[in-house]
């Protein structure tokens, strides 16, 4: 049997589990304490955990964004296609362009990330979004 078929069967089986069985299954799948939620919500959460285990879960970028939102200390805007990011550093003006396909262009070359560009400019490890002004501290409401 293929893994995807097994996942489908496990997800379908969740609808038939009692509250006690759901709690037991949660502990077995996650190894974490069972949250105090309704059986319906636990069923959904367990379904997500099973799918995340199969498909690999959230991307690193998405997890960072969620952690940032939960901490409510900073907010980072995404670099959008067509953006020009300008930063003066040690008397030199640096312009980074975000291409329509999301490529990062600086000094006539493509770069893998804004952080790599910031590191090249400064010689130190910088957060690219912070260096180019896309990351800001959140103000109290």
């Amino acid at each position: 049997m293929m893994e995807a078929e097994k996942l489908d069967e496990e997800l379908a089986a969740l609808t038939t589990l009692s509250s006690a069985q759901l709690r037991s299954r949660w502990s077995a799948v996650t190894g974490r304490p069972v949250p105090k939620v309704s059986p319906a919500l636990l069923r959904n959460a367990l379904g997500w955990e099973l799918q995340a285990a199969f498909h690999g879960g959230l991307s690193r970028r998405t997890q960072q964004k969620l952690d940032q939102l939960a901490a409510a200390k900073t907010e980072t805007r995404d670099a959008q296609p067509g953006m020009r990011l300008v930063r003066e550093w040690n008397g030199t003006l640096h312009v980074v362009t975000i291409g329509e396909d999301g490529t990062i262009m600086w000094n006539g070359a493509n770069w893998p990330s804004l952080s790599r560009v910031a590191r090249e400019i400064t010689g130190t490890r910088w957060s690219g979004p912070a260096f180019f002004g896309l990351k800001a501290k959140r103000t109290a409401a």
Side-chain angles (χ1 to χ4, degrees), residues 48-65:
W48 189 91
E49 292 288 342
L50 290 169
Q51 291 176 75
F54 180 78
H55 294 291
L58 298 173
S59 69
R60 180 174 176 262
R61 181 178 173 133
T62 300
Q63 188 60 55
Q64 286 175 331
K65 192 93 163 163

Side-chain angles (χ1 to χ4, degrees), residues 86-133:
V86 180
R87 171 71 193 258
E88 184 272 330
W89 182 259
N90 289 340
T92 303
L93 194 64
H94 298 276
V95 179
V96 171
T97 305
I98 309 300
E100 290 303 318
D101 58 354
T103 57
I104 298 166
M105 294 168 279
W106 173 71
N107 269 4
N110 291 341
W111 293 79
S113 70
L114 286 174
S115 294
R116 290 283 296 273
V117 174
R119 187 175 311 139
E120 185 70 21
I121 292 170
T122 66
T124 60
R125 293 182 67 88
W126 266 77
S127 158
F131 183 78
F132 287 104

